[in-house]
Amino acid sequence: MLLERVKRLAVVLEPPCAESPPSPSPSCPAGGGSFAPGERVCGRVELEASGAARLSALEVSAHGCAKVHWSESRSAGSSTAYTQSYGDRVDFLALRLVLLAPPAEDGGEALVLQAGRHEFPFSFQLPETLATSFEGKHGSVRYWVKAKLRRPWAMVRKAKTEFTVITPIDINTPALLAPQAGTKEKLVRAWYCNRGQVSVSAKIDRKGYTPGEVIPIFAEIDNCTTCSVVPRAAVIQTQTFVARGIKKQKKAVVASIVGESIAAGRREVWHGRALKIPPLGPSILQCRIIQVEYALKICIDIPRTSKLLLELPLVIGTIPLHRFGSRTSSVSSQYSVNVDWLRLGLLEQPEAPPDYSLVISSEETVEHLSPPRLDDPTRVPEGPFFAFIQEFRFRPPPLYSEVDPNPSPENGIRPRCMTC
């Protein structure tokens, strides 16, 4: 039968031409490859027929959109309840290409495709502005390529392949290299009694990081209360979904560390406490209905009262920090500099300066070294001090020597003239 003559229909995408394309993160769907906005996506539609098959058209289309959806229970009284749904959609990509169609002079009749395997290549250009692929609880950002095979007197056969788009975020920018710091304090009370104050000051060297990097945390915690407190630090991911002006947020702890307990009246100092960033999806800040943000949160657990929280913003990027592209890669690197690359341009033995006779001719040397003639009115300088300056102006430099001509005594004290 006609339906059985097309055995296989598939869409295959070629990998991008970049040398090291970004790999999908846990929050990005895995698909036919990872692409950046503005790149060209190339692929082919593979069709395998067991016999001669009649076709009306073969077309391929590329799509990309962001969708959000969630439901909330509402109560209108003691006995009345209903569910309110929220949803929205933003389209980023919509392209359509016709790969196979009957010629117009044939009157639009179906084509006959011989038995065997056939490939139909295609390519399309991605727009410059796209949101990063994302999969969340209340929304997603997805991209896919779909092929449709139309046949006379038969259902349309479809094949679909998803691919990942990762918008590059370069952390080598002044805004993302700026240090982040903050201070917070809390007055602890219990049963209307003042139990003291807890304060925390924290700093990180920059705002932008990439997965796999370590955040050195510099913090100072003062516990001026009568009880022990426990400091913590964590990287928080906040997913924000927007629909019809209503926001829905979902927060998750993606990495955390716990410090030692701080006794009453004591102070704890973190000298670059390391917090490693796990594999994460990059920040999404340009999408209207879905945003993914990160923050470093310093938390002080205080018994029998609320916590003291200090939050510093973070941006998870895709392009790591350049070794020499910025002034520092961490706070600790501000105090230690790798000078191996500087030694490449330095010689092991210092080179002696050139001889003075090579710089200036012998005639000029005699002329410049000869004292001014006082009988010549044109050679007499004006002013009481200019004569002394003119005398020492063109004298040759001292001879180069690696041995100090005036060595210091062994005891390090120079002899002084008693008559002075």
mmCIF file with all atom_site columns, all heavy atoms in Angstrom, residues 1-7 47-56 100 110-116 118 149 151-152:
data_model
loop_
_atom_site.group_PDB
_atom_site.id
_atom_site.type_symbol
_atom_site.label_atom_id
_atom_site.label_alt_id
_atom_site.label_comp_id
_atom_site.label_asym_id
_atom_site.label_entity_id
_atom_site.label_seq_id
_atom_site.pdbx_PDB_ins_code
_atom_site.Cartn_x
_atom_site.Cartn_y
_atom_site.Cartn_z
_atom_site.occupancy
_atom_site.B_iso_or_equiv
_atom_site.pdbx_formal_charge
_atom_site.auth_seq_id
_atom_site.auth_comp_id
_atom_site.auth_asym_id
_atom_site.auth_atom_id
_atom_site.pdbx_PDB_model_num
ATOM 1   N N   . MET A 1 1   ? 0.836  -1.198 0.000   1.00 0.00 ? 1   MET A N   1
ATOM 2   C CA  . MET A 1 1   ? 0.000  0.000  0.000   1.00 0.00 ? 1   MET A CA  1
ATOM 3   C C   . MET A 1 1   ? 0.879  1.260  0.000   1.00 0.00 ? 1   MET A C   1
ATOM 4   O O   . MET A 1 1   ? 2.077  1.204  0.292   1.00 0.00 ? 1   MET A O   1
ATOM 5   C CB  . MET A 1 1   ? -0.927 0.007  1.220   1.00 0.00 ? 1   MET A CB  1
ATOM 6   C CG  . MET A 1 1   ? -1.969 -1.116 1.223   1.00 0.00 ? 1   MET A CG  1
ATOM 7   S SD  . MET A 1 1   ? -2.988 -1.071 2.686   1.00 0.00 ? 1   MET A SD  1
ATOM 8   C CE  . MET A 1 1   ? -3.714 0.533  2.511   1.00 0.00 ? 1   MET A CE  1
ATOM 9   N N   . LEU A 1 2   ? 0.246  2.380  -0.254  1.00 0.00 ? 2   LEU A N   1
ATOM 10  C CA  . LEU A 1 2   ? 0.990  3.636  -0.350  1.00 0.00 ? 2   LEU A CA  1
ATOM 11  C C   . LEU A 1 2   ? 1.586  4.036  0.992   1.00 0.00 ? 2   LEU A C   1
ATOM 12  O O   . LEU A 1 2   ? 2.695  4.530  1.076   1.00 0.00 ? 2   LEU A O   1
ATOM 13  C CB  . LEU A 1 2   ? 0.062  4.732  -0.884  1.00 0.00 ? 2   LEU A CB  1
ATOM 14  C CG  . LEU A 1 2   ? 0.685  6.116  -1.089  1.00 0.00 ? 2   LEU A CG  1
ATOM 15  C CD1 . LEU A 1 2   ? 1.788  6.021  -2.113  1.00 0.00 ? 2   LEU A CD1 1
ATOM 16  C CD2 . LEU A 1 2   ? -0.367 7.112  -1.502  1.00 0.00 ? 2   LEU A CD2 1
ATOM 17  N N   . LEU A 1 3   ? 0.851  3.753  2.093   1.00 0.00 ? 3   LEU A N   1
ATOM 18  C CA  . LEU A 1 3   ? 1.316  4.160  3.406   1.00 0.00 ? 3   LEU A CA  1
ATOM 19  C C   . LEU A 1 3   ? 2.557  3.392  3.824   1.00 0.00 ? 3   LEU A C   1
ATOM 20  O O   . LEU A 1 3   ? 3.312  3.835  4.678   1.00 0.00 ? 3   LEU A O   1
ATOM 21  C CB  . LEU A 1 3   ? 0.205  3.981  4.442   1.00 0.00 ? 3   LEU A CB  1
ATOM 22  C CG  . LEU A 1 3   ? -1.042 4.844  4.241   1.00 0.00 ? 3   LEU A CG  1
ATOM 23  C CD1 . LEU A 1 3   ? -2.069 4.509  5.296   1.00 0.00 ? 3   LEU A CD1 1
ATOM 24  C CD2 . LEU A 1 3   ? -0.697 6.326  4.292   1.00 0.00 ? 3   LEU A CD2 1
ATOM 25  N N   . GLU A 1 4   ? 2.754  2.235  3.266   1.00 0.00 ? 4   GLU A N   1
ATOM 26  C CA  . GLU A 1 4   ? 3.872  1.403  3.695   1.00 0.00 ? 4   GLU A CA  1
ATOM 27  C C   . GLU A 1 4   ? 5.130  1.646  2.871   1.00 0.00 ? 4   GLU A C   1
ATOM 28  O O   . GLU A 1 4   ? 6.161  1.055  3.164   1.00 0.00 ? 4   GLU A O   1
ATOM 29  C CB  . GLU A 1 4   ? 3.470  -0.075 3.598   1.00 0.00 ? 4   GLU A CB  1
ATOM 30  C CG  . GLU A 1 4   ? 2.297  -0.444 4.492   1.00 0.00 ? 4   GLU A CG  1
ATOM 31  C CD  . GLU A 1 4   ? 1.878  -1.896 4.309   1.00 0.00 ? 4   GLU A CD  1
ATOM 32  O OE1 . GLU A 1 4   ? 2.446  -2.533 3.400   1.00 0.00 ? 4   GLU A OE1 1
ATOM 33  O OE2 . GLU A 1 4   ? 1.018  -2.354 5.063   1.00 0.00 ? 4   GLU A OE2 1
ATOM 34  N N   . ARG A 1 5   ? 5.079  2.456  1.828   1.00 0.00 ? 5   ARG A N   1
ATOM 35  C CA  . ARG A 1 5   ? 6.243  2.642  0.966   1.00 0.00 ? 5   ARG A CA  1
ATOM 36  C C   . ARG A 1 5   ? 7.254  3.618  1.551   1.00 0.00 ? 5   ARG A C   1
ATOM 37  O O   . ARG A 1 5   ? 8.418  3.594  1.161   1.00 0.00 ? 5   ARG A O   1
ATOM 38  C CB  . ARG A 1 5   ? 5.786  3.109  -0.410  1.00 0.00 ? 5   ARG A CB  1
ATOM 39  C CG  . ARG A 1 5   ? 4.996  2.038  -1.145  1.00 0.00 ? 5   ARG A CG  1
ATOM 40  C CD  . ARG A 1 5   ? 4.643  2.471  -2.544  1.00 0.00 ? 5   ARG A CD  1
ATOM 41  N NE  . ARG A 1 5   ? 3.916  1.418  -3.247  1.00 0.00 ? 5   ARG A NE  1
ATOM 42  C CZ  . ARG A 1 5   ? 3.460  1.512  -4.488  1.00 0.00 ? 5   ARG A CZ  1
ATOM 43  N NH1 . ARG A 1 5   ? 3.665  2.639  -5.167  1.00 0.00 ? 5   ARG A NH1 1
ATOM 44  N NH2 . ARG A 1 5   ? 2.805  0.520  -5.040  1.00 0.00 ? 5   ARG A NH2 1
ATOM 45  N N   . VAL A 1 6   ? 6.877  4.489  2.445   1.00 0.00 ? 6   VAL A N   1
ATOM 46  C CA  . VAL A 1 6   ? 7.800  5.378  3.150   1.00 0.00 ? 6   VAL A CA  1
ATOM 47  C C   . VAL A 1 6   ? 8.123  4.733  4.486   1.00 0.00 ? 6   VAL A C   1
ATOM 48  O O   . VAL A 1 6   ? 7.313  4.733  5.414   1.00 0.00 ? 6   VAL A O   1
ATOM 49  C CB  . VAL A 1 6   ? 7.197  6.783  3.329   1.00 0.00 ? 6   VAL A CB  1
ATOM 50  C CG1 . VAL A 1 6   ? 8.177  7.670  4.096   1.00 0.00 ? 6   VAL A CG1 1
ATOM 51  C CG2 . VAL A 1 6   ? 6.860  7.403  1.986   1.00 0.00 ? 6   VAL A CG2 1
ATOM 52  N N   . LYS A 1 7   ? 9.304  4.173  4.595   1.00 0.00 ? 7   LYS A N   1
ATOM 53  C CA  . LYS A 1 7   ? 9.673  3.446  5.804   1.00 0.00 ? 7   LYS A CA  1
ATOM 54  C C   . LYS A 1 7   ? 10.184 4.364  6.906   1.00 0.00 ? 7   LYS A C   1
ATOM 55  O O   . LYS A 1 7   ? 9.940  4.138  8.079   1.00 0.00 ? 7   LYS A O   1
ATOM 56  C CB  . LYS A 1 7   ? 10.751 2.399  5.475   1.00 0.00 ? 7   LYS A CB  1
ATOM 57  C CG  . LYS A 1 7   ? 10.279 1.297  4.550   1.00 0.00 ? 7   LYS A CG  1
ATOM 58  C CD  . LYS A 1 7   ? 11.432 0.387  4.171   1.00 0.00 ? 7   LYS A CD  1
ATOM 59  C CE  . LYS A 1 7   ? 12.129 -0.175 5.396   1.00 0.00 ? 7   LYS A CE  1
ATOM 60  N NZ  . LYS A 1 7   ? 13.216 -1.097 5.014   1.00 0.00 ? 7   LYS A NZ  1
ATOM 61  N N   . LEU A 1 47  ? 14.904 10.416 4.079   1.00 0.00 ? 47  LEU A N   1
ATOM 62  C CA  . LEU A 1 47  ? 13.676 9.708  3.709   1.00 0.00 ? 47  LEU A CA  1
ATOM 63  C C   . LEU A 1 47  ? 14.074 8.376  3.087   1.00 0.00 ? 47  LEU A C   1
ATOM 64  O O   . LEU A 1 47  ? 14.920 8.331  2.188   1.00 0.00 ? 47  LEU A O   1
ATOM 65  C CB  . LEU A 1 47  ? 12.848 10.548 2.739   1.00 0.00 ? 47  LEU A CB  1
ATOM 66  C CG  . LEU A 1 47  ? 11.434 10.076 2.405   1.00 0.00 ? 47  LEU A CG  1
ATOM 67  C CD1 . LEU A 1 47  ? 10.558 11.273 2.084   1.00 0.00 ? 47  LEU A CD1 1
ATOM 68  C CD2 . LEU A 1 47  ? 11.434 9.111  1.218   1.00 0.00 ? 47  LEU A CD2 1
ATOM 69  N N   . GLU A 1 48  ? 13.471 7.331  3.560   1.00 0.00 ? 48  GLU A N   1
ATOM 70  C CA  . GLU A 1 48  ? 13.743 5.993  3.040   1.00 0.00 ? 48  GLU A CA  1
ATOM 71  C C   . GLU A 1 48  ? 12.429 5.356  2.593   1.00 0.00 ? 48  GLU A C   1
ATOM 72  O O   . GLU A 1 48  ? 11.467 5.275  3.384   1.00 0.00 ? 48  GLU A O   1
ATOM 73  C CB  . GLU A 1 48  ? 14.410 5.124  4.108   1.00 0.00 ? 48  GLU A CB  1
ATOM 74  C CG  . GLU A 1 48  ? 14.866 3.772  3.593   1.00 0.00 ? 48  GLU A CG  1
ATOM 75  C CD  . GLU A 1 48  ? 15.626 2.986  4.643   1.00 0.00 ? 48  GLU A CD  1
ATOM 76  O OE1 . GLU A 1 48  ? 15.902 3.547  5.725   1.00 0.00 ? 48  GLU A OE1 1
ATOM 77  O OE2 . GLU A 1 48  ? 15.941 1.807  4.374   1.00 0.00 ? 48  GLU A OE2 1
ATOM 78  N N   . ALA A 1 49  ? 12.392 4.949  1.334   1.00 0.00 ? 49  ALA A N   1
ATOM 79  C CA  . ALA A 1 49  ? 11.179 4.353  0.754   1.00 0.00 ? 49  ALA A CA  1
ATOM 80  C C   . ALA A 1 49  ? 11.475 2.914  0.336   1.00 0.00 ? 49  ALA A C   1
ATOM 81  O O   . ALA A 1 49  ? 12.535 2.614  -0.217  1.00 0.00 ? 49  ALA A O   1
ATOM 82  C CB  . ALA A 1 49  ? 10.704 5.168  -0.438  1.00 0.00 ? 49  ALA A CB  1
ATOM 83  N N   . SER A 1 50  ? 10.511 2.061  0.584   1.00 0.00 ? 50  SER A N   1
ATOM 84  C CA  . SER A 1 50  ? 10.649 0.648  0.204   1.00 0.00 ? 50  SER A CA  1
ATOM 85  C C   . SER A 1 50  ? 10.262 0.407  -1.247  1.00 0.00 ? 50  SER A C   1
ATOM 86  O O   . SER A 1 50  ? 10.590 -0.636 -1.813  1.00 0.00 ? 50  SER A O   1
ATOM 87  C CB  . SER A 1 50  ? 9.793  -0.223 1.120   1.00 0.00 ? 50  SER A CB  1
ATOM 88  O OG  . SER A 1 50  ? 8.431  0.177  1.034   1.00 0.00 ? 50  SER A OG  1
ATOM 89  N N   . GLY A 1 51  ? 9.555  1.361  -1.826  1.00 0.00 ? 51  GLY A N   1
ATOM 90  C CA  . GLY A 1 51  ? 9.151  1.257  -3.220  1.00 0.00 ? 51  GLY A CA  1
ATOM 91  C C   . GLY A 1 51  ? 8.862  2.634  -3.762  1.00 0.00 ? 51  GLY A C   1
ATOM 92  O O   . GLY A 1 51  ? 9.074  3.660  -3.093  1.00 0.00 ? 51  GLY A O   1
ATOM 93  N N   . ALA A 1 52  ? 8.404  2.688  -4.995  1.00 0.00 ? 52  ALA A N   1
ATOM 94  C CA  . ALA A 1 52  ? 8.058  3.976  -5.584  1.00 0.00 ? 52  ALA A CA  1
ATOM 95  C C   . ALA A 1 52  ? 6.919  4.621  -4.811  1.00 0.00 ? 52  ALA A C   1
ATOM 96  O O   . ALA A 1 52  ? 5.882  3.999  -4.582  1.00 0.00 ? 52  ALA A O   1
ATOM 97  C CB  . ALA A 1 52  ? 7.678  3.800  -7.047  1.00 0.00 ? 52  ALA A CB  1
ATOM 98  N N   . ALA A 1 53  ? 7.127  5.852  -4.361  1.00 0.00 ? 53  ALA A N   1
ATOM 99  C CA  . ALA A 1 53  ? 6.141  6.558  -3.537  1.00 0.00 ? 53  ALA A CA  1
ATOM 100 C C   . ALA A 1 53  ? 5.772  7.869  -4.207  1.00 0.00 ? 53  ALA A C   1
ATOM 101 O O   . ALA A 1 53  ? 6.643  8.573  -4.755  1.00 0.00 ? 53  ALA A O   1
ATOM 102 C CB  . ALA A 1 53  ? 6.691  6.804  -2.144  1.00 0.00 ? 53  ALA A CB  1
ATOM 103 N N   . ARG A 1 54  ? 4.513  8.202  -4.135  1.00 0.00 ? 54  ARG A N   1
ATOM 104 C CA  . ARG A 1 54  ? 4.005  9.462  -4.697  1.00 0.00 ? 54  ARG A CA  1
ATOM 105 C C   . ARG A 1 54  ? 3.979  10.504 -3.581  1.00 0.00 ? 54  ARG A C   1
ATOM 106 O O   . ARG A 1 54  ? 3.426  10.259 -2.496  1.00 0.00 ? 54  ARG A O   1
ATOM 107 C CB  . ARG A 1 54  ? 2.624  9.266  -5.290  1.00 0.00 ? 54  ARG A CB  1
ATOM 108 C CG  . ARG A 1 54  ? 2.581  8.253  -6.438  1.00 0.00 ? 54  ARG A CG  1
ATOM 109 C CD  . ARG A 1 54  ? 1.148  8.108  -6.944  1.00 0.00 ? 54  ARG A CD  1
ATOM 110 N NE  . ARG A 1 54  ? 0.655  9.395  -7.454  1.00 0.00 ? 54  ARG A NE  1
ATOM 111 C CZ  . ARG A 1 54  ? -0.633 9.622  -7.733  1.00 0.00 ? 54  ARG A CZ  1
ATOM 112 N NH1 . ARG A 1 54  ? -1.539 8.659  -7.537  1.00 0.00 ? 54  ARG A NH1 1
ATOM 113 N NH2 . ARG A 1 54  ? -1.018 10.794 -8.210  1.00 0.00 ? 54  ARG A NH2 1
ATOM 114 N N   . LEU A 1 55  ? 4.564  11.669 -3.846  1.00 0.00 ? 55  LEU A N   1
ATOM 115 C CA  . LEU A 1 55  ? 4.668  12.741 -2.870  1.00 0.00 ? 55  LEU A CA  1
ATOM 116 C C   . LEU A 1 55  ? 4.057  14.012 -3.415  1.00 0.00 ? 55  LEU A C   1
ATOM 117 O O   . LEU A 1 55  ? 4.204  14.322 -4.596  1.00 0.00 ? 55  LEU A O   1
ATOM 118 C CB  . LEU A 1 55  ? 6.140  13.004 -2.501  1.00 0.00 ? 55  LEU A CB  1
ATOM 119 C CG  . LEU A 1 55  ? 6.983  11.796 -2.077  1.00 0.00 ? 55  LEU A CG  1
ATOM 120 C CD1 . LEU A 1 55  ? 8.404  12.240 -1.807  1.00 0.00 ? 55  LEU A CD1 1
ATOM 121 C CD2 . LEU A 1 55  ? 6.396  11.106 -0.862  1.00 0.00 ? 55  LEU A CD2 1
ATOM 122 N N   . SER A 1 56  ? 3.397  14.738 -2.514  1.00 0.00 ? 56  SER A N   1
ATOM 123 C CA  . SER A 1 56  ? 2.854  16.045 -2.888  1.00 0.00 ? 56  SER A CA  1
ATOM 124 C C   . SER A 1 56  ? 3.827  17.166 -2.555  1.00 0.00 ? 56  SER A C   1
ATOM 125 O O   . SER A 1 56  ? 3.986  18.116 -3.322  1.00 0.00 ? 56  SER A O   1
ATOM 126 C CB  . SER A 1 56  ? 1.516  16.286 -2.183  1.00 0.00 ? 56  SER A CB  1
ATOM 127 O OG  . SER A 1 56  ? 0.575  15.320 -2.572  1.00 0.00 ? 56  SER A OG  1
ATOM 128 N N   . LEU A 1 100 ? 10.859 19.959 -1.420  1.00 0.00 ? 100 LEU A N   1
ATOM 129 C CA  . LEU A 1 100 ? 10.452 19.171 -2.578  1.00 0.00 ? 100 LEU A CA  1
ATOM 130 C C   . LEU A 1 100 ? 9.012  19.507 -2.904  1.00 0.00 ? 100 LEU A C   1
ATOM 131 O O   . LEU A 1 100 ? 8.134  19.426 -2.033  1.00 0.00 ? 100 LEU A O   1
ATOM 132 C CB  . LEU A 1 100 ? 10.597 17.666 -2.285  1.00 0.00 ? 100 LEU A CB  1
ATOM 133 C CG  . LEU A 1 100 ? 10.373 16.715 -3.456  1.00 0.00 ? 100 LEU A CG  1
ATOM 134 C CD1 . LEU A 1 100 ? 11.406 16.973 -4.554  1.00 0.00 ? 100 LEU A CD1 1
ATOM 135 C CD2 . LEU A 1 100 ? 10.446 15.270 -2.979  1.00 0.00 ? 100 LEU A CD2 1
ATOM 136 N N   . ALA A 1 110 ? 1.350  14.953 -8.180  1.00 0.00 ? 110 ALA A N   1
ATOM 137 C CA  . ALA A 1 110 ? 2.293  14.372 -7.238  1.00 0.00 ? 110 ALA A CA  1
ATOM 138 C C   . ALA A 1 110 ? 3.556  13.896 -7.944  1.00 0.00 ? 110 ALA A C   1
ATOM 139 O O   . ALA A 1 110 ? 3.537  13.512 -9.120  1.00 0.00 ? 110 ALA A O   1
ATOM 140 C CB  . ALA A 1 110 ? 1.637  13.214 -6.492  1.00 0.00 ? 110 ALA A CB  1
ATOM 141 N N   . LEU A 1 111 ? 4.647  13.939 -7.193  1.00 0.00 ? 111 LEU A N   1
ATOM 142 C CA  . LEU A 1 111 ? 5.920  13.437 -7.676  1.00 0.00 ? 111 LEU A CA  1
ATOM 143 C C   . LEU A 1 111 ? 6.054  11.960 -7.324  1.00 0.00 ? 111 LEU A C   1
ATOM 144 O O   . LEU A 1 111 ? 5.450  11.480 -6.366  1.00 0.00 ? 111 LEU A O   1
ATOM 145 C CB  . LEU A 1 111 ? 7.079  14.217 -7.042  1.00 0.00 ? 111 LEU A CB  1
ATOM 146 C CG  . LEU A 1 111 ? 7.167  15.706 -7.377  1.00 0.00 ? 111 LEU A CG  1
ATOM 147 C CD1 . LEU A 1 111 ? 8.271  16.349 -6.555  1.00 0.00 ? 111 LEU A CD1 1
ATOM 148 C CD2 . LEU A 1 111 ? 7.436  15.907 -8.856  1.00 0.00 ? 111 LEU A CD2 1
ATOM 149 N N   . VAL A 1 112 ? 6.877  11.286 -8.079  1.00 0.00 ? 112 VAL A N   1
ATOM 150 C CA  . VAL A 1 112 ? 7.144  9.870  -7.809  1.00 0.00 ? 112 VAL A CA  1
ATOM 151 C C   . VAL A 1 112 ? 8.588  9.754  -7.340  1.00 0.00 ? 112 VAL A C   1
ATOM 152 O O   . VAL A 1 112 ? 9.522  10.133 -8.056  1.00 0.00 ? 112 VAL A O   1
ATOM 153 C CB  . VAL A 1 112 ? 6.907  9.017  -9.072  1.00 0.00 ? 112 VAL A CB  1
ATOM 154 C CG1 . VAL A 1 112 ? 7.257  7.558  -8.783  1.00 0.00 ? 112 VAL A CG1 1
ATOM 155 C CG2 . VAL A 1 112 ? 5.458  9.145  -9.523  1.00 0.00 ? 112 VAL A CG2 1
ATOM 156 N N   . LEU A 1 113 ? 8.762  9.255  -6.129  1.00 0.00 ? 113 LEU A N   1
ATOM 157 C CA  . LEU A 1 113 ? 10.075 9.076  -5.535  1.00 0.00 ? 113 LEU A CA  1
ATOM 158 C C   . LEU A 1 113 ? 10.430 7.602  -5.594  1.00 0.00 ? 113 LEU A C   1
ATOM 159 O O   . LEU A 1 113 ? 9.671  6.749  -5.123  1.00 0.00 ? 113 LEU A O   1
ATOM 160 C CB  . LEU A 1 113 ? 10.085 9.578  -4.091  1.00 0.00 ? 113 LEU A CB  1
ATOM 161 C CG  . LEU A 1 113 ? 11.454 9.836  -3.461  1.00 0.00 ? 113 LEU A CG  1
ATOM 162 C CD1 . LEU A 1 113 ? 12.151 10.978 -4.183  1.00 0.00 ? 113 LEU A CD1 1
ATOM 163 C CD2 . LEU A 1 113 ? 11.287 10.169 -1.984  1.00 0.00 ? 113 LEU A CD2 1
ATOM 164 N N   . GLN A 1 114 ? 11.578 7.298  -6.165  1.00 0.00 ? 114 GLN A N   1
ATOM 165 C CA  . GLN A 1 114 ? 11.978 5.917  -6.339  1.00 0.00 ? 114 GLN A CA  1
ATOM 166 C C   . GLN A 1 114 ? 12.385 5.296  -5.002  1.00 0.00 ? 114 GLN A C   1
ATOM 167 O O   . GLN A 1 114 ? 12.649 5.988  -4.015  1.00 0.00 ? 114 GLN A O   1
ATOM 168 C CB  . GLN A 1 114 ? 13.139 5.825  -7.338  1.00 0.00 ? 114 GLN A CB  1
ATOM 169 C CG  . GLN A 1 114 ? 12.803 6.369  -8.717  1.00 0.00 ? 114 GLN A CG  1
ATOM 170 C CD  . GLN A 1 114 ? 11.660 5.604  -9.372  1.00 0.00 ? 114 GLN A CD  1
ATOM 171 O OE1 . GLN A 1 114 ? 11.536 4.381  -9.218  1.00 0.00 ? 114 GLN A OE1 1
ATOM 172 N NE2 . GLN A 1 114 ? 10.816 6.324  -10.115 1.00 0.00 ? 114 GLN A NE2 1
ATOM 173 N N   . ALA A 1 115 ? 12.409 3.978  -4.987  1.00 0.00 ? 115 ALA A N   1
ATOM 174 C CA  . ALA A 1 115 ? 12.775 3.257  -3.774  1.00 0.00 ? 115 ALA A CA  1
ATOM 175 C C   . ALA A 1 115 ? 14.227 3.521  -3.415  1.00 0.00 ? 115 ALA A C   1
ATOM 176 O O   . ALA A 1 115 ? 15.072 3.750  -4.276  1.00 0.00 ? 115 ALA A O   1
ATOM 177 C CB  . ALA A 1 115 ? 12.531 1.755  -3.976  1.00 0.00 ? 115 ALA A CB  1
ATOM 178 N N   . GLY A 1 116 ? 14.519 3.520  -2.107  1.00 0.00 ? 116 GLY A N   1
ATOM 179 C CA  . GLY A 1 116 ? 15.869 3.747  -1.621  1.00 0.00 ? 116 GLY A CA  1
ATOM 180 C C   . GLY A 1 116 ? 15.910 4.855  -0.585  1.00 0.00 ? 116 GLY A C   1
ATOM 181 O O   . GLY A 1 116 ? 14.873 5.310  -0.077  1.00 0.00 ? 116 GLY A O   1
ATOM 182 N N   . HIS A 1 118 ? 16.964 8.694  0.491   1.00 0.00 ? 118 HIS A N   1
ATOM 183 C CA  . HIS A 1 118 ? 17.105 10.016 -0.109  1.00 0.00 ? 118 HIS A CA  1
ATOM 184 C C   . HIS A 1 118 ? 17.399 11.026 0.998   1.00 0.00 ? 118 HIS A C   1
ATOM 185 O O   . HIS A 1 118 ? 16.883 10.919 2.118   1.00 0.00 ? 118 HIS A O   1
ATOM 186 C CB  . HIS A 1 118 ? 15.836 10.427 -0.861  1.00 0.00 ? 118 HIS A CB  1
ATOM 187 C CG  . HIS A 1 118 ? 15.409 9.430  -1.901  1.00 0.00 ? 118 HIS A CG  1
ATOM 188 N ND1 . HIS A 1 118 ? 15.836 9.481  -3.213  1.00 0.00 ? 118 HIS A ND1 1
ATOM 189 C CD2 . HIS A 1 118 ? 14.585 8.339  -1.801  1.00 0.00 ? 118 HIS A CD2 1
ATOM 190 C CE1 . HIS A 1 118 ? 15.304 8.481  -3.883  1.00 0.00 ? 118 HIS A CE1 1
ATOM 191 N NE2 . HIS A 1 118 ? 14.532 7.773  -3.057  1.00 0.00 ? 118 HIS A NE2 1
ATOM 192 N N   . LEU A 1 149 ? 5.884  15.580 5.466   1.00 0.00 ? 149 LEU A N   1
ATOM 193 C CA  . LEU A 1 149 ? 5.813  14.887 4.177   1.00 0.00 ? 149 LEU A CA  1
ATOM 194 C C   . LEU A 1 149 ? 4.347  14.742 3.805   1.00 0.00 ? 149 LEU A C   1
ATOM 195 O O   . LEU A 1 149 ? 3.579  14.048 4.490   1.00 0.00 ? 149 LEU A O   1
ATOM 196 C CB  . LEU A 1 149 ? 6.484  13.512 4.260   1.00 0.00 ? 149 LEU A CB  1
ATOM 197 C CG  . LEU A 1 149 ? 6.475  12.668 2.984   1.00 0.00 ? 149 LEU A CG  1
ATOM 198 C CD1 . LEU A 1 149 ? 7.238  13.375 1.873   1.00 0.00 ? 149 LEU A CD1 1
ATOM 199 C CD2 . LEU A 1 149 ? 7.042  11.286 3.254   1.00 0.00 ? 149 LEU A CD2 1
ATOM 200 N N   . ARG A 1 151 ? 1.434  13.573 1.167   1.00 0.00 ? 151 ARG A N   1
ATOM 201 C CA  . ARG A 1 151 ? 1.187  12.570 0.123   1.00 0.00 ? 151 ARG A CA  1
ATOM 202 C C   . ARG A 1 151 ? -0.292 12.612 -0.264  1.00 0.00 ? 151 ARG A C   1
ATOM 203 O O   . ARG A 1 151 ? -1.155 12.885 0.599   1.00 0.00 ? 151 ARG A O   1
ATOM 204 C CB  . ARG A 1 151 ? 1.572  11.184 0.619   1.00 0.00 ? 151 ARG A CB  1
ATOM 205 C CG  . ARG A 1 151 ? 3.044  11.045 0.978   1.00 0.00 ? 151 ARG A CG  1
ATOM 206 C CD  . ARG A 1 151 ? 3.320  9.729  1.686   1.00 0.00 ? 151 ARG A CD  1
ATOM 207 N NE  . ARG A 1 151 ? 2.720  9.706  3.005   1.00 0.00 ? 151 ARG A NE  1
ATOM 208 C CZ  . ARG A 1 151 ? 2.714  8.645  3.817   1.00 0.00 ? 151 ARG A CZ  1
ATOM 209 N NH1 . ARG A 1 151 ? 3.284  7.523  3.412   1.00 0.00 ? 151 ARG A NH1 1
ATOM 210 N NH2 . ARG A 1 151 ? 2.156  8.699  4.997   1.00 0.00 ? 151 ARG A NH2 1
ATOM 211 N N   . PRO A 1 152 ? -0.593 12.329 -1.475  1.00 0.00 ? 152 PRO A N   1
ATOM 212 C CA  . PRO A 1 152 ? -2.015 12.322 -1.892  1.00 0.00 ? 152 PRO A CA  1
ATOM 213 C C   . PRO A 1 152 ? -2.766 11.160 -1.229  1.00 0.00 ? 152 PRO A C   1
ATOM 214 O O   . PRO A 1 152 ? -2.281 10.035 -1.173  1.00 0.00 ? 152 PRO A O   1
ATOM 215 C CB  . PRO A 1 152 ? -1.938 12.173 -3.412  1.00 0.00 ? 152 PRO A CB  1
ATOM 216 C CG  . PRO A 1 152 ? -0.611 11.553 -3.686  1.00 0.00 ? 152 PRO A CG  1
ATOM 217 C CD  . PRO A 1 152 ? 0.315  12.043 -2.622  1.00 0.00 ? 152 PRO A CD  1
#
